[in-house]
């Protein structure tokens, strides 16, 4: 017998659920207290924007909304690992990264309020809008990465999906072409344990989702998705490899969805309460706040000031969202094609 291939998957954690370092050596950015405060502020912005969005939906001021409660560290780590010229191709829980990269709060609310102008980012038109279809955005991301490679541009694409996305054919197709062509792309899987009501155990028999990269010819790595420091470190490493021509990486960020799948869902019908309680104790914001507080770098006064500042931003954003001029019915035809196909021209004229 001859062994043709063997592989292993590394798992990374730097800050445990009690807010304690798990190793003596940290990445350089984690020794900068102000940088850790930036990470904390962005996660808090994500959470409070998220909370308001749910409230807007519950009061009939917005459509169905997917929360990111408990998953803020993933998008935050991604945000600080990317450069401005890179391109972010998100799925629908990546608010922190999108806000950090210039998306306005009211654009989030507009999109989920059914206004396609929310997908036209005033401050960062390079990044892609939310993708609701599952995993199809990963193929779009490989197209962008191919363009970067052909043009010999030193840019990287970071594309995300949920654990459910890894069960889709588009996921495997994207990984295959990325590995074959050695594209400058990083795939990040938000493994929050649930694809709507389907647990991970009913999706795959793989020990990890990270190992799915091996069949595509590149490396996969697992990270504690509630540890924002580890999340930034691992994403930075993957982005650096991609930028230097060393090809793609798959990052599996393990966390837990502490919310309904969307506001149209009731997760209490299928998530075991004891499991949710255990996951709540590991959530990312409390974890980093504990560490900062123990280092004398955060206190109640700073927490109150931050909350007040974010609330003011949100109040202004809600006002901008609720008072923007309504679009005409013909707008439903105006945001998909550069030139309308003949079959839609007649329909648009009829609506007009």
């Amino acid at each position: 017998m001859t062994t043709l291939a063997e592989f292993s998957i590394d798992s990374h954690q730097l800050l445990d659920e009690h807010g304690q370092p798990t190793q003596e050596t940290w990445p350089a950015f984690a020794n900068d207290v102000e940088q850790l405060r930036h990470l904390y502020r962005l996660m808090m912005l994500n959470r409070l924007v998220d909370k308001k969005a749910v409230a807007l939906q519950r009061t009939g001021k917005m459509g169905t909304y997917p929360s990111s409660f408990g998953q803020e560290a993933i998008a935050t780590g991604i945000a600080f690992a990317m450069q401005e010229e890179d391109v972010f191709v998100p799925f629908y829980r990546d608010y922190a990264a999108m806000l950090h990269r210039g998306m306005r709060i009211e654009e989030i609310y507009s999109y989920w309020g059914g206004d396609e102008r929310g997908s036209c980012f005033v401050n960062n038109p390079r990044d892609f809008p939310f993708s609701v279809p599952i995993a199809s955005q990963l193929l779009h991301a490989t197209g962008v990465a191919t363009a970067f490679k052909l043009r010999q541009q030193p840019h990287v694409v970071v594309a995300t999906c949920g654990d459910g996305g890894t069960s889709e054919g588009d996921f495997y197709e994207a990984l295959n072409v990325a590995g074959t062509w050695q594209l400058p792309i990083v795939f990040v899987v938000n493994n929050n344990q649930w694809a709507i009501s389907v647990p991970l155990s009913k999706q795959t028999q793989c020990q990890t989702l990270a190992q799915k990269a091996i069949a595509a010819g590149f490396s996969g790595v697992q990270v504690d998705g509630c540890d924002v420091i580890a999340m930034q470190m691992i994403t930075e490493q993957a982005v650096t490899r991609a930028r230097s021509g060393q090809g793609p990486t798959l990052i599996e960020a393990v966390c837990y969805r502490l919310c309904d799948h969307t506001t149209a869902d009731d997760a209490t019908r299928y998530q075991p309460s004891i499991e949710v309680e255990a996951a709540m104790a590991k959530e990312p914001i409390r974890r980093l706040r504990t560490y900062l507080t123990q280092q004398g770098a955060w206190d109640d006064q700073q927490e109150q000031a931050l909350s007040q500042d974010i609330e003011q931003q949100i109040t202004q954003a809600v006002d901008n969202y609720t008072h923007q001029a309504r679009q005409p019915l013909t707008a439903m035809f105006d945001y998909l094609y550069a030139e309308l196909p003949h079959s839609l021209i007649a329909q648009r004229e009829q609506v007009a």
Side-chain angles (χ1 to χ4, degrees), residues 65-67 92-93 194-196 257 259-263 265 267 270:
Y65 177 80
S67 173
Y92 46 78
R93 299 191 200 276
W194 295 93
I196 309 182
R257 201 189 74 211
C259 53
D260 298 328
H261 173 68
T262 70
T263 50
D265 176 43
Y270 54 83

Side-chain angles (χ1 to χ4, degrees), residues 17-39:
E17 61 191 86
H18 306 294
Q20 302 301 314
T22 61
Q23 52 190 273
E24 293 182 4
T25 304
W26 280 33
F29 73 83
N31 293 316
D32 182 348
V33 171
E34 186 53 35
Q35 173 60 20
L36 296 184
R37 290 196 191 102
H38 285 319
L39 294 171

Side-chain angles (χ1 to χ4, degrees), residues 34-341:
E34 186 53 35
Q35 173 60 20
L36 296 184
R37 290 196 191 102
H38 285 319
L39 294 171
Y40 182 76
R41 292 183 187 111
L42 183 55
M43 286 197 292
M44 279 294 292
L45 176 63
N46 185 159
R47 181 161 293 183
L48 294 179
V49 166
D50 202 74
K51 182 179 178 181
K52 174 57 73 171
V54 173
L56 288 170
Q57 191 279 330
R58 297 305 192 204
T59 55
K61 297 177 181 177
M62 203 172 73
T64 299
Y65 177 80
S67 173
S68 60
F69 182 44
Q71 301 150 80
E72 298 89 353
I74 298 173
T76 298
I78 290 171
F80 283 94
M82 296 179 68
Q83 293 183 5
E84 183 178 352
E85 296 79 11
D86 296 332
V87 169
F88 187 45
V89 182
F91 83 134
Y92 46 78
R93 299 191 200 276
D94 292 315
Y95 307 113
M98 300 179 82
L99 288 166
H100 181 73
R101 292 178 59 77
M103 187 179 190
R104 300 184 302 181
I105 298 171
E106 55 263 40
E107 289 172 340
I108 294 176
Y109 297 157
S110 291
Y111 176 83
W112 296 110
D115 191 329
E116 286 297 334
R117 288 174 294 185
S119 294
C120 184
F121 309 143
V122 171
N123 297 324
N124 183 9
R126 291 173 62 84
D127 286 351
F128 277 46
F130 297 112
S131 178
V132 176
I134 306 301
S136 59
Q137 74 275 13
L138 303 183
L139 288 169
H140 305 156
T142 59
V144 178
T146 301
F148 286 160
K149 185 168 185 176
L150 291 175
R151 295 170 180 170
Q152 298 183 334
Q153 295 174 310
H155 308 323
V156 174
V157 181
V158 178
T160 63
C161 70
D163 50 280
T166 68
S167 298
E168 294 285 336
D170 289 359
F171 172 82
Y172 294 99
E173 293 168 10
L175 264 61
N176 187 59
V177 72
T180 301
W181 293 350
Q182 286 292 282
L183 297 178
I185 187 170
V186 177
F187 300 100
V188 180
V189 176
N190 176 339
N191 180 6
N192 65 22
Q193 313 297 315
W194 295 93
I196 309 182
S197 59
V198 180
L200 188 66
S201 61
K202 291 187 178 181
Q203 288 190 70
T204 181
Q205 286 298 306
C206 287
Q207 292 176 278
T208 69
L209 297 178
Q211 72 197 63
K212 295 192 175 189
I214 304 302
F218 57 92
S219 62
V221 61
Q222 190 180 85
V223 63
D224 181 347
C226 292
D227 175 1
V228 69
I229 299 173
M231 193 67 219
Q232 180 178 338
M233 179 186 75
I234 295 302
T235 309
E236 279 185 349
Q237 292 173 358
V239 167
T240 299
R241 284 194 296 272
R243 200 181 311 280
S244 62
Q246 298 179 57
T249 302
L250 172 63
I251 300 172
E252 175 192 1
V254 180
C255 61
Y256 195 89
R257 201 189 74 211
L258 294 171
C259 53
D260 298 328
H261 173 68
T262 70
T263 50
D265 176 43
D266 179 7
T268 62
R269 298 176 62 185
Y270 54 83
Q271 283 185 331
S273 59
I274 189 170
E275 191 174 279
V276 176
E277 291 171 7
M280 187 69 76
K282 303 176 183 179
E283 65 96 357
I285 291 181
R286 180 190 305 173
R287 185 182 304 200
L288 183 56
R289 182 168 60 229
T290 297
Y291 176 75
L292 288 172
T293 300
Q294 291 173 346
Q295 299 301 307
W298 198 256
D299 55 33
D300 291 342
Q301 186 175 356
Q302 288 170 297
E303 182 75 14
Q304 183 178 7
L306 175 62
S307 296
Q308 289 176 348
D309 177 62
I310 293 174
E311 291 293 351
Q312 289 175 0
Q313 295 180 52
I314 291 173
T315 298
Q316 183 61 59
V318 170
D319 186 66
N320 293 343
Y321 161 61
T322 55
H323 288 89
Q324 64 186 341
R326 294 177 65 88
Q327 293 209 92
L329 288 176
T330 50
M332 72 176 77
F333 297 96
D334 296 339
Y335 294 97
L336 185 57
Y337 298 98
E339 295 183 11
L340 272 181

